[in-house]
Amino acid sequence: MTAKQARNIAFSALVLIAAAIWIFPLYWALTTSLRSENRVVSEGAGVLMDELNVSAYIDVLSNSKLPMWYLNSVGTSLIITVIVLITGMMCAYALSQLRFPGRKALYLIVVGSFMVPVPALYVAQFVLMSDLGLINTWWGIILPQLIVPVVVIVYKQFFDAIPKEMREAVLLDGGGEFTLLFKLYLPLNWGITAALAIITFISAWNNFFWPFLVVTSESMMTIPVGITQVNDSFGVFYARMMALALLAAAPVIIGYLIFQKRVTEAVMISAGVKG
Amino acid sequence: MSDTGVQLKDVKKSFSVVDVIRGVDMEIKRGQFAVFVGPSGCGKSTLLRMIAGLEDTSAGKILIGDRDVTDVDPADRGVAMVFQSYALYPHLSVFENMAFSLRLAKRPKAEVKEKVHEAAQVLQLTEQLDKKPAQLSGGQRQRVAIGRAIVRAPEVFLFDEPLSNLDAELRVQMRLELARLHLKLGATMIYVTHDQVEAMTLADVIFVLQGGYVQQSGAPLDLYEDPSNRFVAGFIGSPSMNFFNATVVARADGRLTARLDGQPDQSFDIAMTTALEPGTPVTLGIRPEHLVVSEGEGMRVTVDVAEELGGVSYQHGTLEGGEAVIFQQIGARHGMHGTVQTILPQTDRIFVFSREGDRIR
Ligand SMILES: Nc1ncnc2c1ncn2[C@@H]1O[C@H](COP(=O)(O)OP(=O)(O)OP(=O)(O)O)[C@@H](O)[C@H]1O
Ligand SMILES: [Mg+2]
């Protein structure tokens, strides 16, 4: 065995250990969810998956408002994604391609708003939503999440990179701003659009604190908020909580498996902008 | 309908404080092939883009045909432009690239198809219609860019250094195709280039731009044979004209004698209508092809570099006074490198300029 092979093996072992550490909580959640509640808290419940009991799942699916929560999560996340992308794209196009007074200042505001931590706005937003009578509504969940400066910044960077001549060719061919945006700038950036859609959707789906604040009625909750309800209504029932958590994560996990490459790209892009 | 293709009337352009075009008048006849030449940064592209409507005009008027288009949108001017970078739409097929303007104009499908196929035929692109621009060679991309212009049937074609991204051989080929296309379409064409040969071979009329003005315009050979100032004389022709400082020493009826400052034993007898006082400083311009090696007296040149091109060779050297000289020899292998040669100008091909650069005839 050469030194190089030895190093490779050592490296692989290290990676395996790291992966195992990372995946253990997931594994533990799965194991727990497949046990009976009694077994979970009984002594001697080991690390090994020794039971395949789906009662926690059945219970959660039949006794909670999970289907409603799914619907709320999917609905609000989709609406947020669509609106964020359309407005972000248009805003970025204007900032990148149109010349108007105050353009630079506007861009600085967008970049600046990127620096404000979202939780700092919760109180003001809550008061606003309350004044607008939007507590316990989809729009109450959606509206504050529509401000995503990173989408504007990323789109602007990509729009900036499109050669000026292409824009001029469209102008000569008889196109206006809408033709430019929807027939040139957008089609040239489908990849980035998909990536931005994915990160926007995931962050809306995963958002816990805002929906938790703005929704109190059980039927309007999104899945992450719903998970806490299991706690309340059943006491601490670990198997059911884990089952619910896994069900909540399932669409994201499945989505990830399908769009693996795009998601990785998306995370890298947003990390690139944020870092 | 008049025969005006494009007319500029005292057109000016400033970018904030920089005056790029300071006052250009030109008239290009319908169907003419006009070429803009000039040093880098002199505003050729800017002027072309102003004609296209891609840049605002700071002052003056632009007419296409009889129509004042100074404030008309680019798409409504009846112009089409071919960019140096081609600016093809990378996400669309060749067909859709060419069809883009027709689709925007909501032309019927059958008409779109017919026009695109017609243009593709002319440009030998029929086989490539389904491909994306990235799958084409440089020459084919160039043709698609031209095709995109052709389908719009514009009154005026604008080309901004369209061949400069191609290799030498393809450039020659495309140059010929452009000449053919011009004959076939008969449309007015305006063409910006750095390339002397393109300018000389394609142009019906050349406009030499510099310092924000048209220095001279005219048929290629007229500019070559009768430049109106030192700049044009130096710019047209390759390698460029030699310039020597000289002083008028004598004048006679319709002639003058000028002595080289750099080699005072040499003076030339030049036919002139303008009578210059003896003692007037002038600049003599002599093209490399009009300097001949002589056996006897003449300008003594130390040759330091020889460019042997096969058919001709260009001998680069310095005069005794230190001025640089290029002279042409027919054929190659003259072995002049490092030697001192004696050369004489053909005196009827000497141009006289004032020291300010104006031609004196
Ligand atoms: N948008 C602009 N803003 C400011 N200055 C500009 C702009 N466009 C061009 N210029 C300036 O105008 C001058 C002429 O530019 P232009 O591109 O027309 O030159 P050109 O003759 O085409 O040069 P080249 O032969 O290198 O292509 C240059 O000095 C350039 O810096
Ligand atoms: Mg240019």
Side-chain angles (χ1 to χ4, degrees), chain A residues 138-161:
Chain A
W138 273 21
W139 286 111
I141 300 173
I142 291 169
L143 284 180
Q145 296 194 61
L146 294 181
I147 306 154
V148 188
V150 67
V151 170
V152 177
I153 295 168
V154 170
Y155 264 129
K156 181 179 179 303
Q157 278 175 356
F158 278 81
F159 289 172
D160 283 349

Side-chain angles (χ1 to χ4, degrees), chain B residues 40-41 43-46 84 160-161 192 194:
Chain B
S40 194
K44 306 179 292 290
S45 299
T46 303
Q84 178 176 358
D160 194 352
E161 307 198 34
V192 168
H194 265 116

Side-chain angles (χ1 to χ4, degrees), chain A residues 163-166 168-176 179 183-184 187-188, chain B residues 49 54 74-75 79 81 83 85 87-91 100-101 104 148 152:
Chain A
K164 193 175 86 178
E165 283 84 13
M166 251 176 235
E168 292 172 343
V170 173
L171 289 177
L172 279 163
D173 275 347
T179 309
K183 295 233 163 105
L184 185 70
L188 285 181
Chain B
R49 294 163 51 77
L54 297 172
V79 301
M81 184 148 170
F83 296 89
S85 59
L88 301 180
Y89 310 130
H91 58 299
F100 199 83
S101 60
L104 284 182
R148 199 165 60 178
R152 298 184 45 209

Side-chain angles (χ1 to χ4, degrees), chain A residues 32 37-38 40-41 227-242:
Chain A
T32 305
E37 295 290 357
N38 286 340
V40 172
V41 291
I227 294 174
T228 63
Q229 293 303 298
V230 183
N231 224 347
D232 290 352
S233 46
F234 302 101
V236 183
F237 291 140
Y238 293 109
R240 280 171 243 186
M241 253 180 89
M242 288 306 132

